[in-house]
Amino acid sequence: MPGRVNVGTLERVASIAGGLGLIAWGLRRRSRAGLGMAMTGASLAWRGLSGWCALYGSLGIDRARGGRGSRDGTRGNLGVKVERELLFEDPPAKLYAFWRDFRNLPSIMSNVRRVTVDPDGRSHWVVNGPAGTTSEWDAEVINDRPGELIAWRTVSGAVAHAGSVHFEPQPTGGTLVRVSLQYDPPGGELTHLVSALFGADPGQRIAEDLQRFKEAMERAGQDRDGLQPATAEALGYPRPDPGRVK
């Protein structure tokens, strides 16, 4: 265990209490699921006793000193800020055109079920949550610079968040795509920790989505897979052969 503390006092108390409760509840279940819950409780209790959170450490968050992060600006106005980037061979305008039609995004974001866009420009998102649940929200674009930047924020729904995606041309060619997300998970950052224990870490999710985005752009010129028809036409991708056997 690292020889320092990065969890605040109140959060340590909550971790100990919540962890002991999960241990007791899990052991009473006398099942594999109960054992898993008890192990999660033990992790939470240890987090409170030791004062060290590995997730906070990886994100650069230090709640023991007033909650300011040191890496990638990880403390945002909405609670947690996560930022990831990836280099693409495609030009900014092409990448922007794909992303700006939000209906394309379920093809690259594994946790997004569907996105619909209203006539007023707002979008409605349905996203997979833990244990088979779903979350829904409406979002609006708050900054839109074609070929450069798309920024958004939620206007209703379970998870308050704001984000942006930058498309930065590189001197040697290609584009650096940088996604920044600020969010306030339901139940606060303690809930965020529990979600992370079950594999729902948002930083890893964004990195995986960017990789899928890159792969989708590499193959889109051949099969238009996952693209909305209007986006495919705007990007000049070939029409599918009507006589081709699916």
Side-chain angles (χ1 to χ4, degrees):
M1 181 192 69
R4 66 186 186 90
V5 173
N6 63 0
V7 180
T9 301
L10 292 178
E11 200 172 349
R12 292 180 67 178
V13 173
S15 295
I16 294 171
L20 292 177
L22 286 175
I23 292 172
W25 184 81
L27 292 178
R28 284 199 300 269
R29 292 285 300 273
R30 298 181 180 274
S31 64
R32 182 175 298 179
L35 179 59
M37 191 62 67
M39 293 176 64
T40 300
S43 297
L44 277 175
W46 177 247
R47 175 180 185 268
L49 290 170
S50 66
W52 174 257
C53 173
L55 177 64
Y56 283 2
S58 65
L59 292 175
I61 295 174
D62 190 347
R63 299 303 299 275
R65 300 182 182 181
R68 296 190 61 84
S70 59
R71 188 171 74 92
D72 297 334
T74 50
R75 290 296 302 163
N77 294 333
L78 290 177
V80 177
K81 181 177 180 181
V82 180
E83 191 171 271
R84 297 292 184 269
E85 60 187 32
L86 188 65
L87 185 63
F88 288 67
E89 296 181 0
D90 308 272
K94 186 176 180 181
L95 300 170
Y96 167 90
F98 178 98
W99 198 290
R100 186 60 181 85
D101 189 344
F102 299 133
R103 297 172 299 172
N104 289 321
L105 298 183
S107 68
I108 64 169
M109 297 181 176
S110 61
N111 64 322
V112 178
R113 287 195 178 185
R114 62 182 178 273
V115 181
T116 56
V117 179
D118 298 331
D120 63 2
R122 289 188 176 186
S123 53
H124 182 75
W125 296 64
V126 181
V127 176
N128 295 323
T133 62
T134 61
S135 294
E136 300 187 29
W137 61 77
D138 292 325
E140 63 180 356
V141 174
I142 56 176
N143 198 352
D144 187 0
R145 299 202 298 269
E148 298 180 15
L149 167 70
I150 306 167
W152 67 90
R153 67 182 175 192
T154 53
V155 292
S156 66
V159 183
H161 73 271
S164 64
V165 53
H166 289 77
F167 307 92
E168 302 177 3
Q170 299 300 292
T172 57
T175 305
L176 184 68
V177 177
R178 183 167 67 254
V179 176
S180 178
L181 179 68
Q182 294 187 41
Y183 70 105
D184 190 9
E189 292 181 13
L190 184 58
T191 300
H192 169 61
L193 172 70
V194 176
S195 297
L197 290 174
F198 288 97
D201 177 62
Q204 181 65 25
R205 179 68 56 79
I206 292 173
E208 292 173 353
D209 290 345
L210 281 173
Q211 184 61 44
R212 276 188 288 269
F213 183 23
K214 185 172 185 177
E215 293 169 357
M217 297 306 294
E218 290 172 349
R219 68 173 183 269
Q222 284 72 47
D223 58 19
R224 299 164 53 127
D225 183 36
L227 290 176
Q228 289 294 314
T231 305
E233 296 296 332
L235 295 177
Y237 291 144
R239 292 177 179 272
D241 183 355
R244 182 172 140 195
V245 178
K246 298 290 184 181

